[in-house]
Amino acid sequence: MTITLRSPLDMHIHFRQDNMLRVVAPLTAAHFAGGVVMPNLIPPVNTLEALHRYTGEVNAATYGYAFAPYMTLFFRDYSREELEAAKPHIIGIKLYPAGATTNSEAGVREISAMDHVFAEMESLDIPLLVHGETHGFVMDREREFCEVYRYLARTFPRLRITMEHITTRDALDVLEEFDNVAATVTAHHLVITLDDVVGGLMNPHLFCKPIAKRPEDRDALLAAALQVHPKIMLGSDSAPHPVDKKECPGCAAGVFTAPILLPLLADLFERHGALDKLQQFVSDNAIRHYRLTPPSTTVTLERTPMTIPPSYGDVVPMWAGRQLPWSVTNVEAHHTS
Ligand code: DOR
Ligand code: ZN
């Protein structure tokens, strides 16, 4: 059995810099025709100059692949002039509440104090991508943040908002309430719950923000992904950290999934009789939502087992050592003139 996907896209990726970038970016570019590159570097990508520099680094690391990096800026109090200058070079601006996750200390402390920036983004049609967590109890952070999503969606009805890596039924409710709200879902939040992270022996390689939630939440997300909700896109949040930052006290948040995403999803969708829906989840919805024209590629997966390697460089992937029944067997780039 085989499945062929057209121009798969990963709408939320952490590529990092330097050696890490050179290890992980080709793994994404080998399978995906494009992806949204997150700006939470130290210092964050929050000037046009830093954006151009980072875009160059990403292009160098993915050289030779048919891969479009869709770049983001790190949200701050931008002027209209800055937004106008950045618009042609970005897919959107990523907002992090200060301290919510890895490298987010420069994030926003008071969201309602930024209304003037949201208004300019709305008038310039620059999408807002959001890490939606409060500073409340860890299991409640996303649910609590839903009120902020509602405030933004209501106050700025033409601002295109993406709720990044949603993990709860509550976020699915917000999706239904507003035309201007879409969402990304990771692959790992479709298959794991908090039990997989801390229910038995603690698994640092499944620890991420937002933390995996209850079975009901996972099942609701999975149901939405499988029936291909038109506003839900794959955004893996693949977030590599060196093994010594994961297997230690004070483990960094992030699950590294880039090289296993398509086999994992093929298996998941096949087991639920929904292989024919995978194309929409991994590409079509994102193309429509962001009006993209990614490089034209075809990626073929076969029902040939893949054993997940113990590591890529010094990064341990999710489910290292396990076997997945599917593997990527062919990738073709179709050059259009
Ligand atoms: O687990 C996470 N890791 N969540 C994020 O939002 C950021 C990411 C990272 O950059 O490591
Ligand atoms: Zn992320």
Side-chain angles (χ1 to χ4, degrees):
M1 190 170 10
T2 70
I3 177 172
T4 297
L5 299 168
R6 296 180 306 281
S7 303
L9 301 172
D10 183 345
M11 300 309 285
H12 185 135
I13 327 166
H14 297 272
F15 271 169
R16 318 295 190 206
Q17 286 181 283
D18 305 319
N19 276 340
M20 182 66 93
L21 169 67
R22 287 187 283 274
V23 170
V24 303
L27 297 169
T28 291
H31 291 175
F32 289 87
V36 175
V37 181
M38 288 294 147
N40 60 331
L41 309 181
I42 299 180
V45 182
N46 64 4
T47 64
L48 199 52
E49 190 200 344
L51 177 72
H52 287 325
R53 198 182 326 122
Y54 191 40
T55 307
E57 292 170 21
V58 169
N59 281 328
T62 55
Y63 183 79
Y65 293 98
F67 178 79
Y70 299 115
M71 304 302 290
T72 56
L73 276 177
F74 192 102
F75 187 95
R76 66 169 167 79
D77 190 351
Y78 291 109
S79 67
R80 182 169 179 99
E81 291 67 37
E82 287 176 308
L83 294 172
E84 278 173 348
K87 180 176 156 116
H89 309 289
I90 56 172
I91 193 167
I93 298 183
K94 175 73 184 288
L95 184 153
Y96 290 91
T101 186
T102 308
N103 302 348
S104 63
E105 290 68 29
V108 176
R109 282 174 203 284
E110 187 59 59
I111 288 183
S112 58
M114 293 293 149
D115 281 1
H116 55 292
V117 187
F118 303 132
E120 296 291 10
M121 289 174 64
E122 179 183 44
S123 89
L124 291 168
D125 195 22
I126 297 176
L128 176 71
L129 284 53
V130 184
H131 182 115
E133 290 195 285
T134 67
H135 296 290
F137 178 65
V138 68
M139 290 294 279
D140 296 334
R141 288 174 190 174
E142 182 173 293
R143 185 172 53 74
E144 291 172 359
F145 198 89
C146 285
E147 282 316 303
V148 180
Y149 281 132
R150 288 190 172 95
Y151 167 77
L152 290 170
R154 208 183 296 121
T155 314
F156 307 99
R158 290 183 326 283
L159 178 63
R160 285 189 285 154
I161 300 167
T162 307
M163 302 186 288
E164 295 295 333
H165 43 53
I166 60 171
T167 59
T168 57
R169 284 190 296 191
D170 309 272
L172 288 170
D173 293 341
V174 177
L175 202 58
E176 299 312 323
E177 291 166 29
F178 300 96
D179 286 343
N180 57 331
V181 175
T184 59
V185 185
T186 75
H188 53 281
H189 288 116
L190 295 177
V191 293
I192 66 168
T193 69
L194 188 60
D195 248 4
D196 298 286
V197 190
V198 292
L201 294 180
M202 207 246 300
N203 185 339
H205 300 295
L206 298 180
F207 171 64
C208 64
K209 301 287 178 64
I211 194 99
K213 302 290 189 310
R214 308 182 61 83
E216 306 86 279
D217 291 303
R218 185 222 15 220
D219 296 346
L221 291 172
L222 181 57
L226 291 171
Q227 40 142 305
V228 195
H229 191 293
K231 295 200 293 178
I232 291 185
M233 309 166 269
L234 169 67
S236 72
D237 201 14
S238 180
H241 293 276
V243 62
D244 61 304
K245 295 282 188 293
K246 292 293 285 177
E247 297 182 1
C248 65
C251 163
V255 180
F256 180 57
T257 50
I260 68 164
L261 285 169
L262 293 179
L264 185 157
L265 290 169
D267 175 40
L268 183 65
F269 276 61
E270 185 202 8
R271 282 191 285 112
H272 290 86
L275 257 190
D276 58 323
K277 307 281 175 46
L278 190 54
Q279 174 65 35
Q280 285 153 271
F281 180 60
V282 301
S283 183
D284 297 354
N285 285 354
I287 286 177
R288 201 177 49 249
H289 180 72
Y290 283 109
R291 306 166 197 150
L292 303 174
T293 45
S296 170
T297 68
T298 44
V299 180
T300 303
L301 291 103
E302 275 178 34
R303 232 179 169 296
T304 305
M306 162 191 190
T307 302
I308 303 175
S311 63
Y312 294 84
D314 63 352
V315 187
V316 178
M318 172 170 160
W319 288 350
R322 277 213 212 175
Q323 243 193 23
L324 291 170
W326 289 80
S327 49
V328 174
T329 53
N330 191 45
V331 179
E332 278 175 39
H334 310 284
H335 295 285
T336 46
S337 50

